Amino acid sequence: MTEHGESPGPIPADRLHDAAAVFGMLAATARLQILWLLSQDERDVGTLAAEIGQTVPAVSQHLAKLKLAGLVHARKAGRHNVYAIAHPDIADIVRLAFRHHLRGTAMPGTIEP
């Protein structure tokens, strides 16, 4: 076992597929921005739409995909759904990606956020 509790050696194909799907969700800039904002605090769809400059229906579609992937969850607050990161590890992935990039260690040819 490694220090993080994983078995040494190759990762099983089904787990690789699941991890790749998570990174696929992060490949869309709007979804990455949504996760970045939700890593700071929970928000409703209207707030997210205003913050990222997209329509409520567009943000709702992104949130539906993120929810289906298990990356966010929603709770009712009156007439609104309030969204939050589903697990702290997701917030860590997003923060680490930006921290890595902002330290100037991004891969050549990438664009700063």
Side-chain angles (χ1 to χ4, degrees):
M1 291 284 206
T2 67
E3 66 180 270
H4 300 289
E6 297 97 10
S7 298
I11 298 169
D14 60 331
R15 293 189 67 196
L16 281 173
H17 178 74
D18 292 346
V22 168
F23 285 104
M25 285 284 128
L26 301 178
T29 57
R31 288 193 292 269
L32 186 57
Q33 181 73 279
I34 289 167
L35 289 173
W36 172 256
L37 292 168
L38 293 177
S39 74
Q40 299 164 30
D41 196 16
E42 61 185 21
R43 290 168 163 81
D44 65 23
V45 179
T47 302
L48 286 166
E51 287 181 306
I52 70 170
Q54 291 199 359
T55 65
V56 168
V59 172
S60 291
Q61 284 186 341
H62 287 301
L63 286 166
K65 289 178 181 182
L66 292 168
K67 188 175 177 185
L68 187 62
L71 302 179
V72 301
H73 61 81
R75 66 173 177 80
K76 281 284 192 191
R79 295 182 1 208
H80 300 277
N81 281 328
V82 177
Y83 289 85
I85 294 283
H87 192 279
D89 288 348
I90 302 303
D92 290 345
I93 290 169
V94 173
R95 287 187 196 116
L96 286 170
F98 283 111
R99 187 177 319 143
H100 174 76
H101 195 79
L102 294 173
R103 283 186 182 155
T105 55
M107 294 174 51
T110 59
I111 300 171
E112 300 262 343

